[in-house]
Amino acid sequence: IAASVLVLYGQTAWFSFVNFDDPPYVTHNPHVLKGITAEGFRWAFTSVYGSNWHPLTWISHMLDVELFGMNAGMHHLTNTLLHALNSVLLFLVLEAATKARGKSALVALLFAVHPLHVESVAWVAERKDVLSTFFGMLATAAYIAYANRPSAWRYLVVAIAFVLGLMAKPMLVTLPLVLIILDFWPLERILPDGKRPDAAARPEGGMPRLPLSRLILEKAPLFALSAASSAVTVYAQYTGGSVRTLDEIPLYQRTANAIVSYVMYLVKTAVPSGLAAFYPFPEAIPAAKVIACGVFLAGVTAAAWALRKRRPYLIAGWLWYVVTLVPVIGLVQVGRQSMADRYTYLPLVGIFVIVVWGADDVLKRFTRSTKPAAALAAIGLAVLMTATYFQVGVWKDSTALFSHAVAVTQGNYIAHYNLGCELQKQGDTGEAI
């Protein structure tokens, strides 16, 4: 799993910084450029610079400068190392929760090599994505240990890892809900209605079962941490002027874009082409498209719920996807993008679980041999790795990044502007204009 990440992202050791968020995060940030200092630590914890409060992300960039100076390749390789760790941790978490080694490994490999994750890994400024997920995976692993043998100190480990994740990127605020989803499947901690929470209700070799209300109450401290992080984030984003007003983007337009985006992320997961660093917010979305996407989402949700007893991984994976995307789906519009590849970094775990466990169920109906499954997995991974290798190359410098974005999108004013700035920097004024 780790080797696949290194094969794909090792090329970033020769990449440059890009002129899209890298300047405020690293190359033009006077606090980061000083490396590790007491003043830098104070600034990291008290600043809402860039419309964010994520002190651990700032400190990680400072540490890179302290260790590697402005060697862009080493900054990239830090992201690569974190992505490799996240992929391995995902495997360990799923294996511990499901006891299904092969399927857990395949989910982790999909996570490691999927093209939609390139933006989170190959973009230095997206350190916050891979860093927060690292602590999120640690928190989830600690939670599985706690669920097996509940104790105050194990719960404290979960809370500490969760806080560290929130201090890297607040998108992790949905983790308490994800843990409740895991209580349903694969941990099976939720006590069926009408049953008593005693030893007799404990499944053979399984974890103690509790009523859903108890499991929700159990996570009250984590929900409190999420609420605090959300409040700080809203303050930071409003202070930084990043939140779009309802006059700029009305609620109906945000809702329509959110419904369509949920489906478009799935389309790009299945067919990862036309990926760009920026997707402009559409001036209008056809009503028929919104209705079709809404019907599709409702149908998938209803089907997964109907099959929750026979195929519990369907509703668990689907809810993981839907819930973890909520903070960035655009109902509170931050920035000018309609969607972003980086937003799928954690949510796609749920979809990968559905694909792997679902494919295993389907293949078992036709054969007991594992060879067809292994062959299909190998072909699928080879195709994804090929696409990812070339998509990683798009991020080698600003010219490549935004030339690609201009080529695969329409009306992309951010891509045109940034490409023009880079061409002007290179002295090609005519082409820049």
Side-chain angles (χ1 to χ4, degrees), residues 344-367:
T344 68
Y345 191 67
L346 189 58
L348 282 190
V349 171
I351 301 303
F352 295 152
V353 165
I354 291 174
V355 169
V356 172
W357 261 261
D360 182 64
D361 273 352
V362 170
L363 289 172
K364 281 180 178 176
R365 294 188 176 192
F366 298 97
T367 177

Side-chain angles (χ1 to χ4, degrees), residues 54-400:
H54 42 38
L56 284 192
T57 294
W58 291 127
I59 292 169
S60 76
H61 287 304
M62 293 172 186
L63 182 59
D64 272 3
V65 172
E66 185 73 25
L67 295 174
F68 314 122
M70 294 307 292
N71 183 335
M74 296 306 294
H75 290 249
H76 281 291
L77 288 181
T78 301
N79 279 19
T80 296
L81 175 61
L82 284 167
H83 182 53
L85 288 171
N86 290 342
S87 303
V88 172
L89 280 171
L90 175 59
F91 163 65
L92 296 175
V93 164
L94 284 175
E95 185 189 31
T98 66
K99 313 303 180 189
R101 172 170 293 189
K103 286 180 280 191
S104 299
L106 185 51
V107 169
L109 279 166
L110 288 171
F111 178 87
V113 308
H114 200 281
L116 273 183
H117 289 168
V118 169
E119 183 170 290
S120 293
V121 185
W123 188 8
V124 171
E126 267 310 298
R127 171 70 51 78
K128 52 185 179 281
D129 233 5
V130 289
L131 187 60
S132 66
T133 300
F134 172 71
F135 289 113
M137 290 294 173
L138 289 180
T140 306
Y143 178 74
I144 294 171
Y146 163 81
N148 274 295
R149 296 180 61 188
S151 68
W153 76 266
R154 285 189 174 90
Y155 193 96
L156 181 61
V157 173
V158 176
I160 291 172
F162 181 40
V163 169
L164 293 174
L166 292 173
M167 290 167 66
K169 186 178 183 179
M171 185 173 171
L172 214 59
V173 291
T174 57
L175 183 65
L177 291 172
V178 169
L179 298 182
I180 294 173
I181 294 169
L182 295 179
D183 284 336
F184 170 71
W185 184 90
L187 300 182
E188 298 182 352
R189 294 187 72 207
I190 300 178
L191 187 72
D193 293 338
K195 295 290 184 70
R196 292 174 53 194
D198 54 22
R202 178 172 178 155
E204 186 70 25
M207 301 176 180
R209 291 188 174 185
L210 297 169
L212 179 59
S213 58
R214 284 272 301 277
L215 292 171
I216 294 174
L217 184 62
E218 172 188 73
K219 295 163 186 67
L222 304 181
F223 280 114
L225 292 171
S226 290
S229 176
S230 299
V232 172
T233 301
V234 170
Y235 169 77
Q237 291 173 342
Y238 272 100
T239 300
S242 294
V243 178
R244 305 294 99 183
T245 67
L246 290 175
D247 290 334
E248 294 175 286
I249 305 178
L251 184 58
Y252 73 87
Q253 197 171 357
R254 301 179 187 203
T255 304
N257 182 69
I259 292 170
V260 172
S261 292
Y262 265 114
V263 176
M264 288 307 300
Y265 284 131
L266 296 177
V267 171
K268 286 186 175 294
T269 302
V271 186
S273 63
L275 306 184
F278 182 81
Y279 302 104
F281 203 98
E283 292 185 10
I285 304 175
K289 185 176 183 179
V290 178
I291 293 170
C293 289
V295 170
F296 173 81
L297 294 174
V300 171
T301 304
W305 178 255
L307 293 168
R308 67 190 183 280
K309 293 183 178 179
R310 286 183 293 160
R311 302 286 186 270
Y313 60 82
L314 291 175
I315 191 66
W318 181 246
L319 287 178
W320 178 306
Y321 171 71
V322 171
V323 166
T324 53
L325 263 177
V326 167
V328 290
I329 201 61
L331 295 178
V332 177
Q333 182 66 32
V334 178
R336 292 167 286 181
Q337 71 286 335
S338 62
M339 53 190 289
D341 297 349
R342 60 188 179 275
Y343 293 160
T344 68
Y345 191 67
L346 189 58
L348 282 190
V349 171
I351 301 303
F352 295 152
V353 165
I354 291 174
V355 169
V356 172
W357 261 261
D360 182 64
D361 273 352
V362 170
L363 289 172
K364 281 180 178 176
R365 294 188 176 192
F366 298 97
T367 177
R368 292 188 176 183
S369 172
T370 59
K371 291 181 179 179
L376 286 174
I379 293 170
L381 288 170
V383 171
L384 288 175
M385 289 183 73
T386 302
T388 296
Y389 186 85
F390 288 106
Q391 184 63 28
V392 171
V394 166
W395 286 84
K396 67 180 180 180
D397 56 37
S398 300
T399 304

